[in-house]
Amino acid sequence: MTETPFFFAREDARLFGILHLPAGTAKPLAFVMSHPFGEEKLWSHRVFVSCARALAAHGHAVLRFDYFGAGDSSGLSADASLESHREDLRAAIGALEQRAPAIEQIGLIGLRMGATFAALLAESNVSPRLAGAPLVLWDPILDGDAYFQELLRSNLSTQLAVYGKVVDNREVLTARIRAGGSVNVDGYEIGKGLLDSCGVSTLLTTDAKRHAGPALIVQIAATEAQKERAELKALAASYGQGTLARAAEQPFWREIKPFYPRASQLQELTLRWLDEVTGAPAVAPLETAASGG
């Protein structure tokens, strides 16, 4: 396979992407991968690379990219919003269409908040290639308010480490952002645009969805014994072709002790599901293709 880094434009933003192309002729189905927010992007990076390579070895063209204010893309995270992320993802789809014009469908694969962005974009008619394509949501965020309150808790931990006490509680931090300021969480600034647009309990609802393609919603838990999450079951049911599955993986989007070069069960589950919904012949696990730097 080949891996090509490049920059593409979204209005006045400069976004960074890496295009993974399979050896030989690519399948008509390609993918754009949507990474999570903040520190979760850093820790899940290796899993994203491994999965993109596995998909390319499986015959799919794959585009990984950095959202505005993240990675090697331009901008500051404090200036990001739901709308800017939606436009970034739309631009990434356009960049993939331009660089792989022979593809017929573009599926979306996202993790955590990146999965939520993918799900929301799939509800709009941004490209005919998205219409019936697979949508893969790994542990998506439905309640944006609870998610951002959890992020702000990390700021409280930093305050304890630096000052020995909590100087500003979450209510104060939230008010600061709402007033137009920003709050640092693990090196990433959360601004008013992002909190106002994404910090709502109804960020991703379980109402009936317009996306007509097959949708895979994956609950990720450290053990298979974890109880099925009702909100993810309801989300899967909201899609006409929705499937809920569970993958036993460590929370690789956090700082954990084991080195996580790939999420093997999650990756193989996703590939098997894609084979099923696309009618492709099953293949052996792609352990070799999924590893590497």
Side-chain angles (χ1 to χ4, degrees):
M1 70 188 76
T2 61
E3 298 176 328
T4 306
F6 66 100
F7 286 94
F8 59 99
R10 189 267 291 165
E11 297 178 347
D12 57 346
R14 189 167 180 253
L15 306 180
F16 176 73
I18 294 182
L19 180 62
H20 302 255
L21 288 177
T25 303
K27 291 181 178 179
L29 172 62
F31 289 94
V32 172
M33 299 188 72
S34 175
H35 68 72
F37 174 75
E39 191 82 342
E40 293 185 359
K41 176 190 186 303
L42 169 68
W43 296 115
S44 62
H45 175 75
R46 175 55 49 202
V47 169
F48 263 52
V49 172
S50 298
C51 187
R53 290 176 175 174
L55 285 164
H58 212 60
H60 302 285
V62 182
L63 175 62
R64 291 187 296 112
F65 78 101
D66 296 337
Y67 279 108
F68 174 84
D72 291 309
S73 290
S74 65
L76 302 173
S77 60
D79 297 327
S81 67
L82 176 58
E83 183 58 30
S84 74
H85 281 81
R86 181 183 286 117
E87 291 305 310
D88 291 346
L89 190 50
R90 189 198 306 261
I93 292 168
L96 179 55
E97 290 175 327
Q98 183 178 23
R99 287 179 171 260
I103 60 176
E104 298 173 7
Q105 286 187 313
I106 296 177
L108 300 176
I109 299 176
L111 171 67
R112 305 275 291 159
M113 189 59 83
T116 302
F117 295 147
L120 294 174
L121 189 75
E123 291 300 286
S124 58
N125 299 317
V126 298
S127 168
R129 289 185 173 91
L130 282 180
L135 175 65
V136 180
L137 310 178
W138 293 338
D139 223 67
I141 303 298
L142 281 71
D143 186 338
D145 178 56
Y147 171 77
F148 277 98
Q149 289 303 312
E150 185 65 28
L151 286 182
L152 292 178
R153 183 180 297 174
S154 178
N155 182 278
L156 303 188
S157 299
T158 300
Q159 291 183 50
L160 284 171
V162 174
Y163 306 115
K165 63 179 181 179
V166 173
V167 177
D168 296 325
N169 61 27
R170 281 186 287 182
E171 289 74 19
V172 172
L173 297 177
T174 300
R176 182 184 303 163
I177 299 172
R178 301 283 191 198
S182 65
V183 169
N184 188 288
V185 174
D186 298 324
Y188 298 84
E189 295 289 331
I190 299 175
K192 178 178 172 61
L194 191 63
L195 186 64
D196 283 352
S197 59
C198 296
V200 295
S201 60
T202 55
L203 179 59
L204 180 58
T205 72
T206 55
D207 296 340
K209 300 294 188 293
R210 289 182 292 179
H211 179 68
L216 175 66
I217 291 81
V218 183
Q219 176 179 330
I220 302 174
T223 68
E224 295 179 347
Q226 187 185 63
K227 185 178 179 181
E228 186 176 78
R229 288 166 52 189
E231 74 275 16
L232 293 186
K233 183 177 181 180
L235 179 63
S238 72
Y239 289 95
Q241 300 184 62
T243 299
L244 175 63
R246 284 187 280 184
E249 301 284 1
Q250 296 295 320
F252 55 84
W253 54 89
R254 299 174 186 161
E255 184 176 7
I256 56 178
K257 288 184 178 180
F259 173 62
Y260 235 77
R262 62 179 173 272
S264 299
Q265 186 176 129
L266 177 64
Q267 178 177 292
E268 295 305 324
L269 181 158
T270 301
L271 289 172
R272 285 196 305 271
W273 177 82
L274 286 172
D275 285 340
E276 292 172 4
V277 299
T278 61
V283 297
L286 299 169
E287 294 295 326
T288 302
S291 63

